[in-house]
Amino acid sequence: MINIRNVRKSYDGRSYAVDNLTMTMNEKEVFGLVGTNGAGKSTLLRMMAGVLRTDEGEILIDSQPVYDNPAVKKDVFFIPDDMYFFPTATGGDMAAYYAGVYPESFSLDRFNFLMENFHLDRSKKIAAYSKGMKKQLSIILGICSGTKYLLCDETFDGLDPVMRQAAKSLFARDMEDRGLTPILTSHNLRELEDICDHVGLLHQGGVLLDRDLNDMKLSVCKIQCVFNNEEDRKATEEGLDILIKSNQGRVYNYTVNKSREDIEEHFKNVDTLLFEVLPLTLEEIFISETEVVGYDIKKIIEG
Amino acid sequence: MTLKRSSRVSDTLMGSISKNRTWAMALLALFTFLWFGVSELISLNSVKYAIMDQTLTGRLQHTAMTFLGLGSYSFPLVCGFALILGMQGFAFLYDSKKVDFYFSQPIKRRTRFAAIYLNGILHFAVIYGLGMILGLIIACAMGGFSGVLIPTMLLEFVNEFVLFLSLYSITILATLLCGNLFAGFCSVGFFWLAEIVIRVMIWALCEVFFTTWHDNANIERLMTNGITTPILNHIAGMAEGGMGGMASSANIDFKAFSEAVAAFLPEMGKNILIAIVFCALSYFAFEKRRAEYAGRSVVYPFMENVYKWVVALVAGTGFGMIVGTIMGEMESSPRLNITSFSTVFAICVGVFVVCVISEGLFAMNVKKVFRRFWHMPIIAFLCLVVFWSFDNDWFGYDSYMPNASSLSSVTMWPSYDMTGSENYRKYNEDNSNSMLYGVEGYITDNVKAADMESALQIALLGQQNIRAQKHDGAGEKGTDMLVCYDLKNGKQIYRSINVPYSVDKDLMDAIITPDDYAEAVNGYSGAVYALEKIQGKRELYANDFTGEDREIGKAEDVEEFLKYYKEDIDEKFDYSLAASSIPIANVSLTLSVDTGGHYGDVYNFYFPVYKEYAGTVKYLENKGMDLSEENFRKKIMAKAKSGTISVSGYMSVINEDDSEPSEGYVSMEYTEPDKIEAIVKNVVRGDITTQAPFMKPDLLGYDGLVVSIYIDEYYGGSIDFRLDESKAPEFLMEDLKKGYDQ
């Protein structure tokens, strides 16, 4: 389990990239970190990988601090957005290197197997690989390292759909086989929606939401309705935890922080011409939650 | 971490670091091969072709020693190793991709630091060691092997290793304090050179401002004991016991080897200390360094100020001093005028340029060049404070006079070159590799003033006079002298003084007439010392200043000559004689050491002979020399009339509008016998001051005209005499004036 407690991190001493963040990531779950640009996702991941030191607070992996602690870091593999490979190295060279760095867990056999399946030449210089191939290689290296935690920063971006699916399958298998805990960041929320068990929504260094994905989907719903009169509408809106409200003529759309059951209960005695409760996608949840805190498309466009 | 895992990780780490160093090592291996392989081979080969006599073996051994011996000239190669390995090893910190890659791995920071640090050392040791072995093989194959070559080579390896270690540690610290490659290079340059530049700056300031500054004695102190510059210590070791000691001797033996080792050890010790301190600081900087610093110029803000302030202070002070000195000279001012606009302006320009460039570099943004603009006036003011402190002698350097109670002895001697080029003992080596005294060295070490009170009185007089001359343009004409105060605490303090000619004769005699002083200052003691130490060819020559060097004796005559000379100087040499008489002859003793014809082979000692030295004069007359004044005139007149003479000098001419007199160099030639006779009859001997201690240059008409008599037999050139303007014939002065007007 990864425990992040009141973590703060500043690069310039004036503003915080991660600000008083507290979060828990359970084992054997896929944790998705989503957030606005500059929300602190990569910073958080780098701190979790032990690259960056926290200014305040602590990050505990399996109850031990991660920074400069090889005993913990041997269970963590970090795949950054743009992974570094030795300048003249081949895939095989990098595998040999990681086999030395993770001597207890790295599997060269699996590496060879996966390289073949992904149609990557292990004796070809990495410098000659395409961007997508490098991403594939980094995922293969991460998987083969055999670590308990795999930190992936925008890792699926740049992969073609087939490879994305293949990578997700690999994660799923390793979760089942050896209890891998992948922690992913991505801007492609549809991608995360497919794979994540738990999602943390970051904004301006803090957490907006940190929930199980299913709970999140169920707890935020979209309502489309047409009221008979204005009095009914006003009365109904009271007590409805509205995140976003919009209307086109008499058709009102609400995004509310309630479960389908609660909403239906709330509307039970309201006479409406049209009433429909729709589930939200992760992307819609993201937009609605961030809009509440001022990250509004309209504001961005219209100022 | 299990032992097995730890060992596997360490192997991987070392392997990856080595792989990353491939290009650097290839480059360094190439340079090592070029030095120890190609250069040594070429040098030994050229010696073989050039030397055909019995000294060949010795020369080959010496040449091999210049490549492999203690204090060899290989240290620039070591500097290259330290720079490249130090920077390359930690340059990954400048790239955030690499930082993520390395620091996310389960390897402790201290393990990584140790691995990179040791890897660099290992690479140096292997490549440099192999290079030396290659050099040894070549030396053996070419006949340059000597008994001490292997031990001295091993010690040289240790010596260069220590230099590498200290420079390498400094380079690593400098690299760790920055966040990109360009800033890293600048930082390394700062750490390597700042101390040297500051020391040179202090030296220059002392030269400019301190009238009692004694360069030769102090420069050695100022340019040794490096703190961030181990090269200074290394060079000091080389100067004391390195190449000088080992390479110029005829027989390289274990005594020489042990002496060189003794000379090197203190300097090596200093560098070991530097290596330890900087290694610890580097480790601390690596441990504390944050991953997010990659890409910044300077990672710790306080270091920005260190870099900027030090460089700006040096630049402002230096630029101000250069411009101030030039303007001071243009204004014929003996001192730097710090209140002058030009000096202050130059300081401001120097500070401005450095501050602007620094801020631009720190922020990597040209728009930020005026950031912290308020630093500039403060730094410029500090530059002025530096100037004031020197100009007003805040440290009391120029006014220094020790308490008699704190002194163990005082030594003083005339500062001009007393025995030709062999003045300083560090340039003299004999065939047993021990240092050979020059006169100055002999006096400093052996001849203490018998009357310390008189010495202090003269020193004070000399100090006041030299300061008056240079500060106020006043003061009297006098003799430039050096004084060395030996303090009871073991320190030696050197000062330049100028003792006025009007000094009390008895006061001076109290210092210079004791036999040991007279013998030392006239070159006798140095010669005796050299004769004891040097086995070689001995020749005596005499010169009566008419352009002829006459051989007056061989080895067997030397002792007899010195006996007469000693008696004369013991009896006759005093201040009246030395200051007011022109020697009538000069005897030189030449000692030649058969080492194959390179530096340090020939030692010359000069003995000025006054007409009062009856015994010596008689000895020379017995050897066929006529030292009478009549003979001198007759000889130079004959020479002059057989050819041409030229008269040259500076002419002062009052301008037509009665403004300041202008001055210019003019030269006239004469062939007419009557004019030559008129000119030559009043000339005095020239070019004597370097061989006659305490002689007033005025006696030679030093500021007057130089009369050159062209004589074919004197190196096919001319011999110079001096002619006082007041004794010059009228036609000569008119001709010179006309020559100037034209």
Side-chain angles (χ1 to χ4, degrees), chain B residues 571-603:
Chain B
E571 194 182 331
K572 303 283 186 188
F573 185 77
D574 64 9
Y575 187 63
S576 303
L577 177 79
S580 309
S581 310
I582 299 176
I584 54 169
N586 183 48
V587 175
S588 63
L589 166 66
T590 302
L591 304 178
S592 309
V593 184
D594 198 4
T595 57
H598 53 92
Y599 295 119
D601 294 341
V602 180
Y603 303 91

Side-chain angles (χ1 to χ4, degrees), chain A residues 2 4 25 44-50 59 61 66 151 183:
Chain A
I2 300 175
I4 301 162
M25 297 169 186
L44 181 62
L45 229 52
R46 291 175 84 200
M47 285 193 285
M48 287 162 66
I59 295 178
I61 295 182
V66 64
L151 312 180
I183 290 141

